[in-house]
Amino acid sequence: IGPSEPRRRFSCLTERTPPVRRRLCDPEILEPPTQWETETQEGYEEFCKLVGIPDDVIEKGRDYKLITEVVQNGNEFSWSQLYPTNKSVTNKFVIDQECDMETIGGKKFKATVTMEGGKLSTKFPKYHHTSEISGGKLIETSTVGSVVLKRTSKKI
């Protein structure tokens, strides 16, 4: 993108807004970039303990409003999150291509992010993560065994 070209953001997820189901794979010109802020979390503490997050970080994050920004250019994504420790993690990936990623704990790993049924899906070292837009909200679901963390975020 050159300096005179608008920044393009793609939300290549399926938005389920009744009664119309809208696919968001077409480019949208959005200025400034859309960010998401946590509204609700379900299963937070149990999930964090299972993946090895220290108790003091769990406590800080309990009511923290995580900020997420997703920028897409075709099949290329940049996914950034600001965590309760004021640490920011950005993972860049291309759908269906192996890439280098990082966990909040700083662990580097290789993963392939796929698009399944309008959801981004990837396997982190200790859990499986999906993301989608539903009803104008960003819904992130992380699963380890039978424990599920569901985070719902609103646009800010």
Side-chain angles (χ1 to χ4, degrees):
I1 296 179
S4 63
E5 295 178 50
R7 183 173 183 165
R8 294 189 181 269
R9 174 191 301 283
F10 298 73
S11 300
C12 195
L13 306 174
T14 302
E15 182 174 5
R16 296 179 189 145
T17 306
V20 178
R21 186 177 170 129
R22 188 174 134 222
R23 181 129 173 112
L24 298 176
C25 273
D26 297 323
E28 299 176 42
I29 309 288
L30 297 176
E31 292 182 23
T34 304
Q35 292 185 328
W36 303 89
E37 179 182 67
T38 302
E39 256 184 340
T40 63
Q41 299 186 109
E42 300 167 23
Y44 171 78
E45 188 167 346
E46 188 177 5
F47 176 84
C48 288
K49 286 183 183 218
L50 277 176
V51 297
I53 307 276
D55 287 342
D56 63 322
V57 175
I58 292 172
E59 188 58 38
K60 287 179 189 175
R62 188 176 320 283
D63 297 315
Y64 184 79
K65 301 297 182 187
L66 180 75
I67 304 297
T68 302
E69 181 178 274
V70 181
V71 177
Q72 181 186 0
N73 183 4
N75 281 337
E76 296 178 24
F77 285 78
S78 175
W79 189 283
S80 301
Q81 293 186 305
L82 178 62
Y83 290 90
T85 57
N86 289 324
K87 177 177 174 133
S88 178
V89 174
T90 298
N91 284 306
K92 296 181 179 186
F93 55 90
V94 177
I95 299 294
D96 293 327
Q97 291 184 18
E98 186 176 70
C99 63
D100 294 316
M101 297 185 86
E102 180 180 354
T103 68
I104 179 57
K107 181 176 180 177
K108 308 264 191 218
F109 66 101
K110 292 197 178 290
T112 301
V113 179
T114 60
M115 183 71 71
E116 300 170 5
K119 297 180 184 182
L120 291 175
S121 177
T122 192
K123 179 79 173 109
F124 279 73
K126 294 184 179 180
Y127 59 95
H128 182 258
H129 183 84
T130 63
S131 302
E132 67 178 316
I133 296 174
S134 179
K137 307 281 184 180
L138 174 64
I139 310 295
E140 297 177 87
T141 305
S142 298
T143 306
V144 59
S146 62
V147 176
V148 176
L149 166 63
K150 181 179 177 183
R151 180 181 298 125
T152 302
S153 300
K154 64 180 178 179
K155 278 186 184 181
I156 54 172

